[in-house]
Amino acid sequence: MIQSIVHIALVVNDYDEAIDFYTKKLHFELVEDTYQPEQSKRWVVVSPPSSNGTTILLAKATRKVQESFIGNQAGGRVFLFLGTDNFDRDYSEMVNKGVEFVRPPKAKNMEKLHSSKIYMVTYGI
C-alpha cells in the first residue's frame, strides 16, 4: 500500500490575504483557486515553488470556533517547516518582505539550517 499526505488544511482569516502572503512573500505557487458554489467557499491550494509534495489548502474560517485557531494551528508548537536550497537568500528576502520570525537564526545552527529549515511566523499559523 502506498499512501501520502496530499494537502494540509490551514485555517485562515481571508483567502486573498493568505494567497498574497504565500505567493508574494514566500514565492509559493497558487496551484488552484476554485469557487465552490454549493458550499459558498473556495478551494485554494498553494505550494512551494517546484514542489511535488504536500500542498497547503487555505481554508477560510467560517465559524467562531474556527477563527480561534487562526495563528494557533498547532497549539503554540511549530506547525510547518519549509526547506530551502539557500537559507541566506531566502531568509534575507523574507525579512525584507516583512515576514516575522519567531527568533533570528543562531550562528551555531546556521550550518544546519543553511539548506534545511526556516522557522517563521506565517499567515494563519
Side-chain angles (χ1 to χ4, degrees):
M1 177 185 304
I2 298 174
Q3 298 179 333
S4 63
I5 295 176
V6 179
H7 307 294
I8 293 178
L10 182 68
V11 182
V12 299
N13 186 51
D14 180 85
Y15 291 119
D16 294 321
E17 286 177 3
I19 290 169
D20 190 59
F21 177 85
Y22 281 97
T23 60
K24 293 186 178 165
K25 293 189 177 187
L26 302 184
H27 293 290
F28 277 37
E29 296 171 353
L30 180 59
V31 176
E32 184 174 355
D33 184 357
T34 304
Y35 180 66
Q36 298 183 329
E38 65 280 357
Q39 297 177 338
S40 190
K41 63 182 180 180
R42 290 159 62 184
W43 181 264
V44 180
V45 179
V46 295
S47 73
S50 303
S51 175
N52 60 2
T54 305
T55 62
I56 298 174
L57 172 66
L58 301 175
K60 182 179 177 183
T62 57
R63 298 186 307 234
K64 281 287 185 201
V65 69
Q66 293 171 344
E67 290 175 6
S68 69
F69 289 97
I70 298 170
N72 192 24
Q73 304 283 335
R77 299 291 307 213
V78 176
F79 179 55
L80 300 173
F81 297 82
L82 177 64
T84 177
D85 63 345
N86 187 323
F87 179 85
D88 295 325
R89 175 200 65 214
D90 293 347
Y91 179 78
S92 295
E93 184 173 340
M94 289 178 197
V95 167
N96 289 336
K97 290 185 176 190
V99 175
E100 296 177 41
F101 287 80
V102 174
R103 60 186 170 277
K106 295 180 182 177
K108 67 180 183 177
N109 292 332
M110 286 301 288
E111 185 174 320
K112 177 181 174 187
L113 293 174
H114 184 72
S115 61
S116 182
K117 310 293 183 205
I118 295 178
Y119 306 94
M120 69 188 110
V121 175
T122 58
Y123 181 92
I125 295 179

